[in-house]
Amino acid sequence: MALQSAVINVMEKAAKKAGIKLSRDFGEVEHLQVSRKGPADFVSKADLRAEKTIVEELKLARPQFGFILEEGEDIPPQDGNNSVWIIDPLDGTSNFLHGIPHFATSIALEQGGELTAAVIYNPITDDLFWAEKGRGAYLNNRRLTVSSRKNLTECLLATGIPFHGCAHQDTFITNLEHIMGEVAGVRRFGAAALDLAWVAAGRYDGFWEEGLKSWDIAAGVLIVREARGMVSEFDGRAKMLQTGQIIATNGAIHGAVTRLLSNARKAHKSKQSQ
């Protein structure tokens, strides 16, 4: 049985308390689908309520820590502290909105610019993915290790599709064209945090996306790393939280996926210059 530290216990408590409310709200979404107004406003409020719950719990336990928040304003750390919580209360909002039970709460702890602890919690399945720097990654009490597949043709990858009107739509199509013919399959489940957690669990062999925010990926980055996977930007650098561009793999296929995306970028530039 994995022994959780005090900080992971704090994060788990916050995520699960928010998860109880999200699960209850999710149960209401089905009834709202048939209303004229629709569930969008309700889901937005559910998101805010979950974030408020998480912030209250974490503040109570670690009052000097700061916050980077998806919904609310960021809160700087106090008294010279260098610890910051990075929070996405509801990753997979569109899934939640349409009654699809694939969403999660994501909490990461960054200390001195380094990710040190992470929790991703799906309240519908009660799956708690967590990791601490140097101590491994876990699903509930089971140690996680990335897959061992090396042949791209046997690998299952995940990605995210840009929303209508968002940037990266044209580059996404080019990326997909270069990758999907080389792998066993590509999945789009609509929650980046869970995509990363599933790479760590060996369910996916890799994941790529761009246009993300730090709260979408911070917890997942650490969990993949602690499961012995590899994470980088498309060009191999490691500023994912700043650029929102990420490749996460089992390590064995990282170079191959990076090359495919590099070729896609070259092809896209060639199309633009024509």
Side-chain angles (χ1 to χ4, degrees):
M1 181 175 177
L3 182 63
Q4 295 180 348
S5 70
V7 73
I8 291 292
N9 287 335
V10 165
M11 297 166 77
E12 177 183 358
K13 182 181 178 182
K16 289 191 171 181
K17 189 168 183 179
I20 291 170
K21 296 183 178 181
L22 286 173
S23 295
R24 184 184 62 233
D25 290 339
F26 183 71
E28 295 295 320
V29 169
E30 181 181 1
H31 304 296
L32 294 169
Q33 295 288 354
V34 296
S35 70
R36 181 171 296 180
K37 185 176 181 181
D41 183 59
F42 176 83
V43 171
S44 178
K45 290 177 180 177
D47 200 345
L48 289 168
R49 284 194 295 267
E51 183 171 274
K52 183 174 183 290
T53 297
I54 294 167
V55 170
E56 287 175 350
E57 285 294 317
L58 296 179
K59 269 188 175 180
L60 186 65
R62 300 290 189 276
Q64 293 181 327
F65 288 13
F67 291 84
I68 295 175
L69 303 169
E70 179 187 17
E71 301 298 335
E73 292 185 6
D74 293 350
I75 302 170
Q78 300 177 14
D79 302 328
N81 196 285
N82 66 356
S83 300
V84 178
W85 302 109
I86 305 174
I87 298 170
D88 189 347
L90 178 54
D91 182 57
T93 305
S94 292
N95 287 344
F96 191 100
L97 175 65
H98 289 87
I100 299 171
H102 188 77
F103 56 88
T105 291
S106 176
I107 306 173
L109 178 59
E110 186 178 66
Q111 296 180 294
E114 187 173 30
L115 295 169
T116 59
V119 160
I120 296 171
Y121 179 61
N122 181 341
I124 302 303
T125 61
D126 198 33
D127 282 344
L128 181 77
F129 298 89
W130 60 278
E132 280 191 275
K133 183 174 172 57
R135 296 192 61 218
Y138 298 84
L139 169 52
N140 298 322
N141 291 317
R142 178 171 64 84
R143 185 75 178 257
L144 295 179
T145 305
V146 293
S147 71
S148 59
R149 296 183 187 90
K150 299 179 181 179
N151 189 336
L152 273 182
T153 60
E154 299 174 351
C155 291
L156 186 66
L157 270 62
T159 190
I161 302 174
F163 291 103
H164 176 69
C166 292
H168 313 299
Q169 282 187 315
D170 52 351
T171 55
F172 167 77
I173 296 299
T174 308
N175 291 341
L176 187 62
E177 288 173 345
H178 278 73
I179 288 179
M180 65 182 181
E182 304 293 329
V183 299
V186 176
R187 299 289 182 267
R188 197 275 189 180
F189 278 12
L194 286 174
D195 286 337
L196 289 164
W198 285 20
V199 171
R203 299 174 184 178
Y204 294 140
D205 303 293
F207 165 74
W208 88 92
E209 192 171 350
E210 56 186 327
L212 297 169
K213 302 296 184 181
S214 61
W215 49 77
D216 294 317
I217 59 177
V221 165
L222 182 62
I223 292 172
V224 171
R225 284 173 173 167
E226 288 298 314
R228 301 181 182 176
M230 187 175 293
V231 187
S232 74
E233 296 172 77
F234 289 5
D235 61 5
R237 293 183 296 179
K239 296 290 185 181
M240 296 80 62
L241 301 192
Q242 290 75 36
T243 65
Q245 185 185 84
I246 187 169
I247 305 173
T249 73
N250 61 9
I253 64 168
H254 205 85
V257 176
T258 301
R259 285 190 293 275
L260 288 172
L261 289 172
S262 176
N263 291 338
R265 286 198 304 276
K266 292 174 183 176
H268 181 69
K269 288 180 181 179
S270 177
K271 286 180 183 180
Q272 287 183 315
S273 64
Q274 291 176 359

